[in-house]
């Protein structure tokens, strides 16, 4: 077979490890041929193809980002977009696709398969860890470790200056990064999108921590919401999948907490630092295993499926099941973290 590989949506550490595993096993063990589609769904939509053989994937295992490029292109937002993909694949002799992405990229893959008969296997990636059907996505562990290290570093400077420090992490609809980094870093309070927070309670917890002569670190997901409403967007407009660009809640909290507690408060927004750079060992191994199983699935004709981590096993899940519902932080897990608030 000739198989096209693409990486869509926001990039994350481990994408190159998946591509390498697909190509190494696919060429050397299974006898297939690969092409790389550039910049997510833009590639098959515009016929933007690059060679993808064993030489192209040498040395990329530890590299962050993606050698194929990424974008948030949505073919279903373009007239005849899906039909163009089918035509381009046929004219390039591409029999099937392996699409590596999050809810948006895999949502497109699921529709192309169900509505247009495109042979596609999905691989779940996102630092947000919010895809259904898999216990973890790769990229998440790296992002959590970056955020944890930032919290550790902020802790020492916060204590020297008796300040309140707020750390804003990514997580549009789900608070997984905030929850794990906050727990690992010993945060004073963790605020996530799933649990709208009361400012009075946050200030009370900050006060308790200051009374104990320790500096409070507030970890907040970019998508967290105060009870009664307010912070959400940073910029006007939406991307091709209808998402607003988030970011900035930490600065809003900075003003609110300083005003209410009278304590000097500063915000740090980690932003894309969490998405860049080299993947952790966990993410390299998970990404590699996903790549191996994705190419096996394509080889076996298991189209319309996605690789998924269940416990320590890699299984196949229906793409439609994986994108049907976002995996958010359950209340019980948040309650575990709450034990350490204040
Ligand atoms: O979906 C992953 C993610 O990193 C989100 O956490 C974040 O809201 C978004 O992507 C940012 O996307 P962009 O880099 O396109 O602004």
């Amino acid at each position: 077979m000739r198989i096209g590989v693409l990486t869509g949506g926001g990039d994350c550490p481990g994408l190159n490890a998946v591509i390498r595993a697909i190509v190494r096993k696919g060429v050397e063990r299974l006898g297939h041929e690969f092409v790389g589609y550039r910049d997510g769904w833009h590639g098959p939509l515009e016929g933007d193809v690059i060679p993808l053989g064993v030489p192209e994937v040498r040395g990329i295992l530890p590299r962050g980002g993606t050698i194929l490029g990424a974008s948030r292109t949505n073919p279903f937002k373009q007239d005849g977009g899906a039909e163009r993909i089918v035509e381009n694949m046929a004219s390039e002799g591409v029999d099937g696709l392996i699409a590596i992405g999050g809810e948006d990229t895999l949502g497109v893959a699921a529709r192309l398969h169900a509505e247009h008969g495109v042979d596609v296997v999905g691989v779940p990636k996102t630092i947000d860890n919010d895809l259904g059907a898999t216990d973890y996505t790769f990229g998440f562990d790296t992002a959590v470790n970056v955020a944890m290290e930032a919290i550790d570093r902020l802790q020492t400077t916060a204590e020297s200056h008796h300040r309140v420090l707020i750390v804003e992490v990514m997580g549009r609809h789900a608070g997984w990064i905030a929850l794990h980094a906050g727990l690992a870093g010993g945060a004073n309070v963790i605020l996530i999108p799933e649990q709208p927070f009361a400012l009075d309670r946050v200030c009370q917890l900050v006060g308790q921590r200051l009374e104990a002569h320790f500096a409070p670190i507030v970890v907040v997901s970019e998508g967290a919401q105060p009870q009664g409403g307010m912070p959400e967007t940073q910029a006007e407009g939406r991307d091709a999948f209808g998402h607003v660009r988030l970011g900035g809640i930490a600065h809003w909290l900075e003003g609110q907490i300083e005003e209410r507690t009278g304590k000097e408060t500063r915000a740090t927004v980690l932003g894309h630092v969490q998405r860049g750079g080299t993947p952790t060992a966990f993410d390299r191994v998970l990404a590699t295993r996903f790549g191996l199983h994705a190419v096996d699935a394509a080889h076996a004709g298991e189209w319309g499926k996605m690789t998924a981590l269940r416990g320590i096993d890699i299984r196949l899940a229906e793409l439609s099941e994986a994108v049907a519902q976002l995996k958010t932080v359950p209340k019980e897990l948040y309650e575990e973290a709450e034990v350490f608030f204040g």
Side-chain angles (χ1 to χ4, degrees):
M1 270 190 295
R2 189 167 151 87
I3 300 171
V5 183
L6 65 89
T7 52
D11 70 338
C12 82
L15 286 167
N16 287 325
V18 183
I19 298 167
R20 167 180 173 267
I22 290 170
V23 173
R24 288 291 300 275
K25 179 154 193 191
V27 172
E28 293 170 349
R29 302 294 172 98
L30 303 172
H32 298 303
E33 205 184 292
F34 295 86
V35 293
Y37 278 119
R38 286 172 49 162
D39 299 341
W41 291 112
H42 155 90
L45 201 53
E46 305 302 336
D48 195 351
V49 182
I50 54 171
L52 190 60
V54 172
E56 282 78 23
V57 301
R58 291 271 183 222
I60 66 172
L61 171 66
R63 269 170 60 187
T66 161
I67 60 165
L68 298 177
S71 76
R72 295 194 187 276
T73 307
N74 183 352
F76 288 102
K77 282 281 158 146
Q78 309 206 8
D79 274 346
E83 290 76 9
R84 251 159 65 206
I85 288 180
V86 174
E87 282 162 24
N88 285 336
M89 283 176 65
S91 69
E92 288 140 13
V94 172
D95 304 294
L97 296 177
I98 299 182
I100 312 165
E103 50 161 328
D104 299 327
T105 304
L106 298 185
V108 169
R111 280 189 68 184
L112 283 173
H113 178 71
E115 298 168 22
H116 298 270
V118 174
D119 285 341
V120 55
V121 167
V123 177
K125 70 86 226 184
T126 165
I127 63 164
D128 292 354
N129 194 39
D130 58 1
L131 264 174
T134 183
D135 292 349
Y136 285 100
T137 52
F138 67 89
F140 171 65
D141 185 67
T142 306
V144 167
N145 276 285
V146 168
M148 181 196 70
E149 194 191 329
I151 295 168
D152 288 349
R153 288 175 185 280
L154 290 168
Q155 194 96 42
T156 60
T157 169
E159 274 165 15
S160 306
H161 289 269
H162 319 291
R163 284 172 177 152
V164 181
L165 288 188
I166 303 167
V167 188
E168 180 179 310
V169 299
M170 281 187 169
R172 193 185 268 149
H173 309 291
W176 291 107
I177 298 176
L179 183 80
H180 281 233
L183 256 179
N188 179 223
V189 195
I190 301 169
L191 307 175
I192 63 173
E194 294 87 339
Q195 303 284 336
F197 60 89
L199 255 177
D200 287 346
R201 172 84 180 127
V202 173
C203 292
Q204 186 199 350
L205 293 165
V206 161
Q208 271 177 30
R209 182 83 174 171
L210 286 166
E211 272 167 30
H213 302 290
F214 285 99
I217 305 285
V218 177
V219 177
V220 60
S221 295
E222 59 181 356
Q225 287 290 310
Q227 286 173 9
M230 262 276 279
E232 216 220 342
T233 68
Q234 181 193 55
E236 297 288 312
R238 289 172 185 267
D239 69 17
F241 289 92
H243 304 299
V244 289
R245 192 193 300 170
L246 297 177
I249 187 171
H251 291 292
W252 178 82
L253 271 172
E254 179 186 85
Q256 296 291 327
I257 293 177
E258 188 161 299
E259 193 184 304
R260 287 165 187 244
T261 63
K263 295 290 174 194
E264 189 182 4
T265 306
R266 300 283 183 90
T268 301
V269 179
L270 294 184
H272 293 87
V273 169
Q274 296 157 95
R275 284 221 319 243
T278 189
T280 57
F282 181 91
D283 279 339
R284 291 182 201 193
V285 173
L286 180 59
T288 297
R289 293 185 71 206
F290 275 164
L292 296 174
H293 285 258
V295 78
D296 279 345
H299 181 73
E302 296 268 19
W303 306 112
K305 305 273 174 64
M306 178 192 90
T307 58
L309 180 70
R310 301 269 172 82
I312 60 165
D313 298 326
I314 309 288
R315 303 264 173 79
L316 291 179
E318 294 294 329
L319 263 177
S320 50
E321 180 202 338
V323 298
Q325 211 182 354
L326 279 181
K327 185 182 69 189
T328 52
V329 174
K331 195 159 179 293
E332 311 78 66
L333 270 187
Y334 189 68
E335 283 168 358
E336 287 180 9
E338 272 183 322
V339 170
F340 304 98
F341 289 7

